[in-house]
Amino acid sequence: QQQVKQSPQSLIVQKGGISIINCAYENTAFDYFPWYQQFPGKGPALLIAIRPDVSEKKEGRFTISFNKSAKQFSLHIMDSQPGDSATYFCAASPYSGNTGKLIFGQGTTLQVKP
Amino acid sequence: DTEVTQTPKHLVMGMTNKKSLKCEQHMGHRAMYWYKQKAKKPPELMFVYSYEKLSINESVPSRFSPECPNSSLLNLHLHALQPEDSALYLCASSPTHRRQGSGAKNIQYFGAGTRLSVL
């Protein structure tokens, strides 16, 4: 119930291609879905976030698509660049109980080849 | 400035040592967090401080002892650690701990972490 399932575990994309990472959840109490990007030796950095009342959110080359009925959300990275090579974590936060605790997916290691 | 500063960057300690990790933020955030992250795994929440009071302890062993001296500082005191405690320890902060409205006030900003090796 508290899990967020993320796939794929690893992804290799050519420069200029589209990278797609998917996440699924069960707990309908989740209502805030951030994506974090983590480079080796660094802490996670918030990339983009969405709430379930919106089906899509775009910031530059990064887009979150959200399907509330399927309880799935995904990150699309358009025109992927070698500098995007990093580990990406989706997360979910329940409003219920108001704790703000983040439940992380298992992560996807993205490699963008030049 | 959304910077969370952690020191030291690297730490090697023996199982009988006592050491401390330090975290500092000057964003006026009132919630601070300690996470543990193993290689190729997501961060695991350890502790949450809200308004300098311990709010959440995720059943962390007592060899880890958090301390929040003031609203800008968070320490993690380490004693009698085990080799399996070797990991990246991350500190994070957010404006508040409890969710309010859009959730924006709970956005967590992470530091770069302390890479801990226990021999």
Side-chain angles (χ1 to χ4, degrees):
Chain A
Q1 272 279 327
Q2 286 290 326
Q3 284 186 338
V4 176
K5 295 182 181 179
Q6 183 172 347
S7 62
Q9 188 174 356
S10 62
L11 182 61
I12 300 174
V13 173
Q14 289 295 126
K15 179 182 175 183
I18 302 173
S19 304
I20 301 174
I21 304 170
N22 300 299
C23 286
Y25 65 98
E26 289 293 325
N27 190 344
T28 55
F30 290 153
D31 76 333
Y32 173 62
F33 302 89
W35 284 87
Y36 281 84
Q37 178 189 55
Q38 186 174 23
F39 292 105
K42 301 289 186 182
L46 179 67
L47 191 61
I48 188 173
I50 198 168
R51 291 204 51 166
D53 52 352
V54 176
S55 61
E56 186 175 282
K57 183 174 181 180
K58 185 176 180 179
E59 289 185 4
R61 296 183 294 107
F62 300 91
T63 300
I64 299 179
S65 297
F66 191 87
N67 185 329
K68 187 175 181 179
S69 60
K71 290 185 280 189
Q72 295 175 346
F73 58 109
S74 59
L75 176 69
H76 291 64
I77 306 174
M78 311 300 287
D79 187 26
S80 299
Q81 299 296 311
D84 297 329
S85 298
T87 299
Y88 293 81
F89 293 100
C90 63
S93 178
Y95 192 85
S96 174
N98 215 11
T99 64
K101 181 176 177 178
L102 287 175
I103 311 298
F104 285 93
Q106 288 303 300
T108 297
T109 301
L110 170 65
Q111 182 184 356
V112 181
K113 291 194 169 183
Chain B
D1 181 12
T2 56
E3 188 169 336
V4 175
T5 304
Q6 290 187 243
T7 55
K9 292 192 186 307
H10 302 276
L11 179 62
V12 179
M13 60 186 291
M15 289 189 285
T16 59
N17 292 158
K18 286 185 181 180
K19 296 286 184 183
S20 297
L21 310 185
K22 181 179 174 182
C23 174
E24 194 167 2
Q25 57 88 14
H26 296 287
M27 296 177 277
H29 290 175
R30 302 313 301 270
M32 297 186 78
Y33 310 75
W34 279 116
Y35 286 86
K36 173 183 177 179
Q37 187 178 29
K38 290 283 209 178
K40 300 188 184 300
K41 295 292 185 183
E44 298 174 40
L45 183 65
M46 300 174 72
F47 303 103
V48 180
Y49 271 84
S50 179
Y51 292 86
E52 295 99 70
K53 286 184 169 38
L54 184 63
S55 175
I56 292 178
N57 177 340
E58 292 285 294
S59 303
V60 179
S62 60
R63 56 185 184 269
F64 296 91
S65 175
E67 177 197 21
C68 190
N70 59 56
S71 61
S72 299
L73 282 175
L74 186 66
N75 298 320
L76 185 63
H77 303 298
L78 313 173
H79 173 54
L81 294 194
Q82 303 297 310
E84 59 264 28
D85 296 322
S86 298
L88 180 68
Y89 287 85
L90 295 163
C91 173
S93 71
S94 63
T96 65
H97 166 47
R98 293 193 170 274
R99 286 281 305 280
Q100 295 180 22
S102 68
K105 292 189 179 181
N106 185 243
I107 293 175
Q108 294 183 28
Y109 298 90
F110 285 82
T114 294
R115 176 73 60 189
L116 174 67
S117 297
V118 182
L119 303 179

